Amino acid sequence: MTSHPQARPAPWPRHAVIREVGLRDGLQSLQTIVPTAQKIAWIAAAHAAGQREIEVGSFVPARLLPQLADTAELVAFARTLPGLFVSVLVPNLRGAESAIASGADLMLVPLSASHAHSLANLRKTPDDVVAEVARIRAARDAAGSKTLIEGGVGTAFGCTIQGHVDADEVLRLLQALLDAGADRVSLADTVGYADPRAVRALFERALRIGGERFHCGHFHDTRGLGLANVLAALDTGVTRFDACLAGIGGCPHAPGASGNVASEDLAYMLASVGIDTGVDIDALLALRREVAQMLPGETLHGTLWRAGLPRTFAPAAARAAA
């Protein structure tokens, strides 16, 4: 029997970025409305723990998401923290105009590759969203703003409403977002259908389209594969990932979906395999305890907090210096 050699993935990078999205993606799915002062304390503590990219909120009408009504105040505070890259989500041109006025570093425009999910979530078709990105780009340029535009393609691996989502359609929309003027693009497993094999295949194709403009992977841990999917994405060369402290959040159109991978679990896994994120994991675990106090009665996720760091753990940066 003849064996065929398997292609080996490229070596993992020495550094990766965790973009904290708990203040937006996490809180928008919860009933609790966290006071602005507590959110500011969260941002300050996350920055002190070494997190340098934080999505602080979303410019949507307060009547729709009262949990995020203070986004402008949070951007204003976050911009005072040295070295912090501040992002927000915007669903349309009006939200983008608010993001530009706020001085946010980046605005994420969500697009669902699932036609059914797009209509349920945004009341627009995917191609309507592409056209909106073109209008946002024109408004951004006319304002002379430096706020970057990221087009995020969600339900990239399937949809609880539509079911199958064709990979070719995902990639068509990724290219369309770039053609419409997005500075960056990303892929999201919105409902937790992805597996490592599918992630590797789709991300490799996405990188051929976007190159360095393919910016981020967004994975939910609904079926326990979030961290495994991050490793599969790392195999392709992607080095930036969204995560929520305590794994909070989910998707309102994905019944039973838990949130993103937990930030503290992701930081620990990356450090364990020798990838530095600049995050102080003990400080992040302390922040998790503070956030748990902000969210009484809400379901939190993640595993590292239960047992803590092992006695044998050494951060990636310390091992590299040894």
Side-chain angles (χ1 to χ4, degrees):
M1 181 176 178
T2 303
S3 62
H4 298 281
Q6 297 292 317
R8 294 179 63 84
W12 284 330
R14 295 181 62 184
H15 302 280
V17 175
I18 298 173
R19 178 167 61 182
E20 177 60 52
V21 298
L23 285 140
R24 195 279 303 172
D25 194 11
L27 294 183
Q28 75 174 18
S29 299
L30 304 182
Q31 293 299 312
T32 302
I33 297 178
V34 177
T36 302
Q38 291 186 358
K39 292 183 185 178
I40 286 174
W42 178 347
I43 295 168
H47 180 265
Q51 292 192 293
R52 289 297 179 266
E53 295 198 14
I54 302 177
E55 188 178 75
V56 300
S58 176
F59 284 106
V60 296
R63 62 183 174 79
L64 297 179
L65 284 175
Q67 302 95 321
L68 307 181
D70 53 1
T71 294
E73 295 172 72
L74 298 181
V75 172
F77 170 74
R79 291 182 64 209
T80 69
L81 298 175
L84 183 60
F85 190 83
V86 184
S87 61
V88 295
L89 181 141
V90 301
N92 51 36
L93 177 58
R94 179 175 294 183
E97 290 169 342
S98 297
I100 291 167
S102 77
D105 294 302
L106 180 143
M107 48 186 164
L108 170 68
V109 184
L111 179 154
S112 180
S114 159
H115 190 280
H117 185 272
S118 185
L119 291 174
N121 195 39
L122 294 172
R123 297 197 294 274
K124 295 184 177 76
T125 68
D127 287 296
D128 289 339
V129 178
V130 171
E132 191 79 348
V133 167
R135 288 188 283 271
I136 290 170
R137 174 60 185 258
R140 190 276 305 272
D141 291 352
S145 168
K146 295 182 179 179
T147 301
L148 297 173
I149 301 166
E150 178 179 332
V153 181
T155 61
F157 296 90
C159 171
T160 53
I161 302 172
Q162 178 176 303
H164 176 73
V165 175
D166 190 79
D168 288 343
E169 175 67 358
V170 173
L171 296 168
R172 179 188 75 83
L173 291 165
L174 202 74
Q175 182 67 66
L177 286 167
L178 291 169
D179 293 343
D183 300 292
R184 302 174 176 180
V185 288
S186 54
L187 290 178
D189 179 27
T190 311
V191 297
Y193 279 11
D195 61 76
R197 181 172 167 178
V199 168
R200 191 173 291 110
L202 188 60
F203 274 50
E204 285 175 348
R205 295 180 67 189
L207 280 163
R208 287 197 289 270
I209 291 172
E212 292 184 354
R213 297 168 72 190
F214 181 62
H215 187 61
C216 190
H218 179 114
F219 297 110
H220 281 227
D221 199 38
T222 312
R223 292 164 181 83
L225 292 179
L227 293 178
N229 290 333
V230 168
L231 288 178
L234 280 165
D235 283 343
T236 71
V238 174
T239 60
R240 178 176 279 97
F241 302 96
D242 289 343
C244 285
L245 192 70
I248 58 174
C251 175
H253 301 289
S258 59
N260 294 31
V261 293
S263 302
E264 61 274 20
D265 289 1
L266 178 55
Y268 169 64
M269 182 194 74
L270 292 172
S272 294
V273 299
I275 300 172
D276 180 35
T277 62
V279 173
D280 180 332
I281 300 174
D282 281 320
L284 206 58
L285 287 170
L287 176 56
R288 187 194 195 279
R289 292 190 289 272
E290 294 177 23
V291 169
Q293 295 298 313
M294 300 177 194
L295 300 171
E298 300 286 3
T299 300
L300 307 183
H301 302 277
T303 54
L304 180 64
W305 70 276
R306 296 179 184 275
L309 292 169
R311 294 176 63 184
T312 55
F313 175 76
R319 291 204 301 272

